[in-house]
């Protein structure tokens, strides 16, 4: 994970994964992610929009094997991501914003 994410995005991923582990929640299935467009490019930053289709995934409680996902949550939604260039010349995702009020 550290090879691909950094900054706020890495902190959010770590927090979310810790929460899921503590609560006994696992994700099943595989999302479909497609690139919609490159929004902007600079020497140190790239902003992209993608579409995430989570309709084939679920979050389940390991103990009960029951879904804990919000039943009315939008499963196909746009996500905006920003990658930053680090001193080791590696690009890492540093921000992510999912807009579950929209669809794509």
């Amino acid at each position: 994970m550290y090879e691909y994410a950094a900054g706020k995005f890495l902190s959010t991923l770590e927090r979310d994964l810790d929460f899921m582990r503590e609560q006994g929640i696992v994700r099943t299935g595989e999302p479909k992610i497609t690139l919609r467009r490159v929004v902007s490019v600079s020497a140190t930053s790239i902003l992209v929009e993608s579409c995430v289709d989570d309709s084939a995934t679920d979050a389940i409680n390991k103990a009960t094997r029951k879904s804990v996902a919000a039943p009315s949550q939008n499963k196909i939604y746009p996500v905006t991501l920003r990658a930053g260039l680090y001193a080791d010349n590696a690009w890492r995702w540093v921000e992510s914003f999912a807009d579950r009020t929209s669809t794509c």
Side-chain angles (χ1 to χ4, degrees), residues 1-19:
M1 190 165 63
Y2 303 103
E3 190 175 337
Y4 303 104
K8 269 194 311 187
F9 185 59
L10 178 60
S11 297
T12 300
L13 285 174
E14 290 174 326
R15 183 196 69 220
D16 290 351
L17 290 171
D18 284 344
F19 173 80

Side-chain angles (χ1 to χ4, degrees), residues 66-78:
K66 293 185 180 181
S67 178
V68 295
S72 60
Q73 191 169 44
N74 185 6
K75 293 280 203 167
I76 302 173
Y77 51 93

Side-chain angles (χ1 to χ4, degrees), residues 26-47:
V26 294
R27 288 196 38 118
T28 62
E30 190 171 320
K32 293 179 186 168
I33 302 169
T34 54
L35 175 65
R36 291 177 66 194
R37 69 184 180 119
V38 176
V39 176
S40 65
V41 177
S42 75
T44 59
S45 180
I46 300 172
L47 191 65

Side-chain angles (χ1 to χ4, degrees), residues 45-93:
S45 180
I46 300 172
L47 191 65
V48 298
E49 286 181 355
S50 61
C51 182
V52 175
D53 180 347
D54 267 340
S55 56
T57 69
D58 198 2
I60 61 168
N61 180 298
K62 284 193 308 188
T64 66
R65 301 257 186 230
K66 293 185 180 181
S67 178
V68 295
S72 60
Q73 191 169 44
N74 185 6
K75 293 280 203 167
I76 302 173
Y77 51 93
V79 176
T80 303
L81 296 136
R82 186 170 67 83
L85 181 61
Y86 277 74
D88 61 357
N89 285 323
W91 290 91
R92 293 186 179 88
W93 297 113

